Amino acid sequence: MSSGFLTFTEEHEAFRRTVRGFVEREIRPHVKAWEAAEGFPRELYRTAAEAGFFGLKYPEAFGGSNAGYFYEAVLHEELAKCGSGGVAAGLGAQATIATGPLHLYGSEALKARYLAPAIRGEKLGAFAVTEPDGGSDVAGLSTTARRDGDAWVLSGAKTYITNGVVADYVIVACKTDPSRGRKGLSMLVVDKGTPGFTVSRKLKKLGWRASDTAELAFDGCRVPLDHLLGVENDGFSQVMGNFVWERITLALGSVGAAEDILQQAMAFVSSRRAFGQSVSQFQVVRHRLADMATELEAARQLTYHALRLHAAGEWALGATAMAKKVATEMCCKLADQALQLHGGAGYMTEYDIERHWRDARLGPIGGGTSEIMNEIIAKQLGL
C-alpha cells in the first residue's frame, strides 16, 4: 500500500531493506526458541547496535547517526514483523524509552556515561514509571527520593518494566517533593548493583514472552545527586514528553505487525481448499480480508500523520493519542480475525499468528491505556 501524504525517500526504503534483512537473518530463525526460553541473548543488542539501530535520532557526538525520526519509524515497523513482539519490544525499548530521556534531559556527563554506551549496545537500559498500585496514574506514583548529603535516597517499587532484569541502568520516575503532587516528580538514573536496588522478580505474561519484563524494588537506595535528569521536580513533563514518542512507536509497531498478520492470513487461505475450491475464493473470506486491509491502511495513515507532526516539532498530543488508540486496537482486531481465518490451526504454536494474537493484546494497554488515550483526546477537544 502507498503511504499517501507521507512518502519515505529511497534512502528510507534502503534502510527498510536493511532492517528486513536483519530480521530474517538474526531474529526469525530463533524466535521459537527465544519464546520458549522467555528471553533472547544479550548479544542481539550488540548486533543491533552494530547495525546502527540504537542511535538513529541521537547526535554523532555520542555515537548516533542523527538520521532522524523517519528512520526510527522504519525500524519499529519492520522489527514488529519479526514474529515475536517480545524481541521487538526489547530492542525497541533500548532505542527509545531507555535512551530518549538521557538524550533530552541528561547532562553531558550522564550522556557520556550512559547514552553513548547504550547506543553501542554495551549498556542496556530501562524506563521505570508504572507502579504496582498506580497503573496509568503517573501523577499519583508513590516512589520517593529525598536528599541526604551527597545523594538521593530512593524508596518504592516499579512493575511491568521492559528490560528491567537485564538493564545496567534504570531511569526511575519518583517524587522528590511529595507535597507538590505531579509538580514534585523527578527522574533519576540508577545503576544496577546499587545497594538497595533489587529485581523482585521476572514477570510471566500472556504475550511478549521473549521480552524481559520485571518488577523492581528500591529500599533506601542511594543515588548520586548528579544522576538527576533535567531540573528537579520537572519530571512529570519529562515523562509526558517521553510518552509521546513511545506511543507513536507503539502505533508504528502495531501497523508493522498488522501488515505481517494480513500477509500471513492471505497466504494461509490461499493454500487451503474446502468444498472443492480455494478458501480464498469464498466471498466471506475475500470481504473479511478486504476489511482488514482497509482498517490497516486507515490506521497507517493516522499513525503517519502523528509521526509527521512529531518530526516537525509539534506537540501533537491529540493526534498521537488517536494514532496509538486506533493502531493498537486495529492490530488486536486483525490478529483475532486472522486467527479465525486460520481455524483450528490458529491455536497451534508453529504458526506466527498465535504469537501475534497474544502479543497484540498489550498494545491498547502499554504506554497508556486506550481509556487514557480517550481522556487525552477529550481534553484536546476542550471537553
Side-chain angles (χ1 to χ4, degrees), residues 5 244 247-248 251 299-310 314-327 373 376-378 380-381:
F5 58 75
V244 172
R247 288 165 181 165
I248 291 174
R300 188 202 312 272
Q301 295 300 336
L302 184 55
T303 298
Y304 284 176
H305 175 58
L307 168 63
R308 184 176 64 174
L309 293 176
H310 185 78
E314 293 193 32
W315 186 243
L317 287 179
T320 296
M322 290 176 184
K324 196 269 184 184
K325 171 183 162 60
V326 169
M373 297 305 100
I376 292 170
I377 295 165
Q380 295 301 303
L381 292 173

Side-chain angles (χ1 to χ4, degrees), residues 34-35 38-39 83-89 160 162 202-213 353-363 365:
W34 292 344
E35 286 279 313
E38 297 185 352
S84 170
V87 174
Y160 311 135
T162 300
K202 180 178 179 180
L203 302 174
K204 288 185 174 292
K205 310 175 296 296
L206 168 71
W208 284 23
R209 292 184 181 176
S211 167
D212 153 18
T213 308
I353 192 60
E354 181 265 347
R355 290 192 301 277
H356 268 309
W357 184 79
R358 288 189 285 104
D359 291 341
R361 193 60 189 86
L362 190 279
I365 299 173

Side-chain angles (χ1 to χ4, degrees), residues 25-339:
R25 183 178 64 255
E26 305 290 346
I27 302 179
R28 272 201 178 273
H30 311 291
V31 160
K32 290 181 181 179
W34 292 344
E35 286 279 313
E38 297 185 352
F40 59 92
R42 186 183 179 102
E43 183 58 31
L44 186 63
Y45 289 98
R46 293 294 296 270
T47 307
E50 290 169 1
F53 293 169
F54 297 148
L56 293 168
K57 62 180 184 294
Y58 302 136
E60 294 179 12
F62 297 99
S65 60
N66 203 30
Y69 286 109
F70 293 131
Y71 280 90
E72 193 172 300
V74 169
L75 175 69
H76 288 290
E77 275 191 301
E78 296 304 321
L79 283 180
K81 302 173 187 177
C82 75
S84 170
V87 174
L91 296 176
Q94 181 74 2
T96 55
I97 57 176
T99 48
L102 288 166
H103 164 60
L104 292 174
Y105 312 114
S107 65
E108 294 302 298
L110 288 177
K111 289 177 183 177
R113 182 171 178 178
Y114 296 102
L115 180 59
I119 290 172
R120 296 193 298 268
E122 296 169 2
K123 281 190 175 183
L124 303 184
F127 186 55
V129 177
T130 304
E131 297 184 349
D133 297 324
S136 296
D137 183 12
V138 176
L141 60 82
S142 59
T143 297
T144 61
R146 60 177 177 81
R147 287 176 179 264
D148 181 34
D150 61 352
W152 299 98
V153 180
L154 183 66
S155 298
K158 300 292 182 178
T159 194
Y160 311 135
I161 309 305
T162 300
N163 291 349
V165 176
V166 299
D168 299 298
Y169 69 88
V170 180
I171 299 170
V172 181
C174 56
K175 289 275 183 69
T176 43
D177 188 348
S179 68
R180 298 182 63 193
R182 71 179 188 178
K183 294 182 179 180
L185 268 68
S186 299
M187 291 205 290
L188 302 177
V189 184
V190 185
D191 282 307
K192 182 178 184 179
T194 301
F197 170 27
T198 57
V199 176
S200 305
R201 61 184 174 130
K202 180 178 179 180
L203 302 174
K204 288 185 174 292
K205 310 175 296 296
L206 168 71
W208 284 23
R209 292 184 181 176
S211 167
D212 153 18
T213 308
E215 188 175 88
L216 310 178
F218 305 93
D219 184 11
C221 181
R222 294 184 67 85
V223 181
L225 290 179
D226 61 4
H227 279 217
L228 174 73
L229 290 181
V231 179
E232 182 179 350
N233 296 326
D234 193 37
F236 186 80
S237 63
Q238 295 170 356
V239 171
M240 292 299 104
N242 200 59
F243 269 148
V244 172
W245 181 240
E246 180 184 0
R247 288 165 181 165
I248 291 174
T249 64
L250 285 167
L252 288 162
S254 293
V255 168
E259 186 174 334
D260 193 51
I261 288 167
L262 178 60
Q263 292 301 318
Q264 289 193 39
M266 291 173 62
F268 184 86
V269 298
S270 296
S271 69
R272 294 297 189 270
R273 295 185 65 80
F275 305 106
Q277 63 178 315
S278 171
V279 172
S280 64
Q281 296 306 304
F282 295 160
Q283 185 179 71
V284 64
V285 172
R286 293 169 61 243
H287 286 188
R288 178 169 293 183
L289 291 169
D291 283 341
M292 291 167 67
T294 301
E295 292 183 39
L296 166 58
E297 190 62 18
R300 188 202 312 272
Q301 295 300 336
L302 184 55
T303 298
Y304 284 176
H305 175 58
L307 168 63
R308 184 176 64 174
L309 293 176
H310 185 78
E314 293 193 32
W315 186 243
L317 287 179
T320 296
M322 290 176 184
K324 196 269 184 184
K325 171 183 162 60
V326 169
T328 57
E329 291 182 356
M330 172 277 300
C331 190
C332 282
K333 182 177 180 180
L334 261 63
D336 194 69
Q337 293 291 319
L339 191 70

